[in-house]
Amino acid sequence: MRNLPYTLLNEKLHDFCMETRSLGHNWAWSDTCRIDKTMSSVLNQSLTSMYEWYADSAATLVFLGGVAHPSNLGDLSRSVWMTRAWSSAKPLAPKAILFYDSEWKPYLGNTGANHKESPAIMQEPADTIKIPRGTIVTFSPDDLGVREKLRLASTRNAPVVDDVTYSLIGIFKSDIRPHYGDGTDALGHLLEEIVARLGEVTVLAWLGKSSSYNSCLPAAIAVYGQTPYNPPSLEEEK
């Protein structure tokens, strides 16, 4: 890191490495270093393994570049980070997570070893993604149903539309192979697999524009942000 020219990106990587070392770790991986999408084998392995990397990490460090120092309660829930597709699983997968403001100071001044142990901090993502705080703290992909997992991504954004779908591979334990250029069809591949592998037909309950991939499927994941219609049972009608 010492020989790299000064750029904002390199400064971020330098500070990340310094913080990692201060926590007593000798190795770190930063998702700021983009995955090489020109090598399909590297791309597939990275995208299908990313959830496990976070889940198996000693700690996940989250740099909130848009949160000024000193940070205040609510800054995390209002941060751009909470709107990104690839951030949807990051509060969930790690056993230990640490948030930092724009000056690499612990969020809310909390110097604890794991912000998942802070009710105040973890209530912010809980309120934002509408999942109980306790579920986030001890999360397992089996804790949420299919519709809930799709809802997590329904309001997320990504520069490349494919990534909104591919960010869900880990949480769904999906076997689909990423293929950039599919665009909105990537969602079709995932939903098709969910129906075939899990027999989960609730994904067919949606209202909106049909996909060009399959007219039974939606063109955009945003439709899963809506509450599906649940007709009354026959006994209720009696």
Side-chain angles (χ1 to χ4, degrees):
M1 292 298 299
R2 294 177 181 175
N3 297 324
L4 292 176
Y6 174 81
T7 64
L8 290 177
L9 174 59
N10 289 343
E11 181 182 30
K12 176 183 175 182
L13 290 173
H14 174 269
D15 292 343
F16 166 67
C17 290
M18 293 295 290
E19 183 62 24
T20 300
R21 177 61 62 87
S22 74
L23 294 172
H25 305 295
N26 294 322
W27 298 94
W29 175 81
S30 172
D31 62 6
T32 298
C33 302
R34 300 300 182 189
I35 297 168
D36 187 353
K37 295 179 181 179
T38 64
M39 299 180 62
S40 59
S41 59
V42 173
L43 177 63
N44 289 343
Q45 181 182 11
S46 297
L47 296 190
T48 56
S49 302
M50 194 170 294
Y51 180 89
E52 294 181 3
W53 290 346
Y54 287 114
D56 295 338
S57 67
T60 293
L61 279 60
V62 177
F63 176 65
L64 304 170
V67 173
H69 177 76
S71 53
N72 297 296
L73 194 65
D75 286 344
L76 172 58
S77 60
R78 292 188 295 267
S79 68
V80 174
W81 185 81
M82 287 297 299
T83 69
R84 293 172 179 162
W86 283 109
S87 297
S88 59
K90 289 178 185 177
L92 305 174
K95 298 176 182 66
I97 192 168
L98 293 166
F99 296 96
Y100 297 86
D101 63 28
S102 58
E103 294 187 14
W104 278 98
K105 302 299 182 183
Y107 184 63
L108 300 184
N110 186 312
T111 57
N114 183 4
H115 284 165
K116 281 205 167 185
E117 297 174 353
S118 167
I121 293 178
M122 296 316 300
Q123 192 61 48
E124 292 196 51
D127 289 342
T128 301
I129 62 180
K130 296 178 175 60
I131 291 178
R133 187 181 74 235
T135 300
I136 295 178
V137 172
T138 61
F139 184 77
S140 165
D142 296 329
D143 290 343
L144 298 178
V146 168
R147 293 286 304 208
E148 278 293 280
K149 292 174 182 177
L150 292 170
R151 184 185 61 77
L152 284 179
S154 65
T155 59
R156 300 286 174 150
N157 303 307
V160 180
V161 67
D162 312 52
D163 279 331
V164 177
T165 295
Y166 296 151
S167 66
L168 294 172
I169 288 177
I171 201 171
F172 272 112
K173 302 178 183 177
S174 173
D175 293 324
I176 65 170
R177 288 289 176 250
H179 183 269
Y180 280 91
D182 281 350
T184 56
D185 286 354
L187 175 61
H189 294 308
L190 177 64
L191 296 176
E192 194 172 58
E193 187 211 40
I194 289 171
V195 173
R197 181 165 59 90
L198 303 177
E200 185 60 69
V201 296
T202 62
V203 302
L204 302 177
W206 54 273
L207 180 65
K209 182 180 179 182
S210 297
S211 169
S212 58
Y213 175 78
N214 185 322
S215 61
C216 292
L217 302 174
I221 201 168
V223 300
Y224 294 112
Q226 306 167 6
T227 302
Y229 171 65
N230 293 313
S233 66
L234 295 178
E235 291 186 359
E236 289 178 351
E237 290 183 346
K238 292 178 182 179

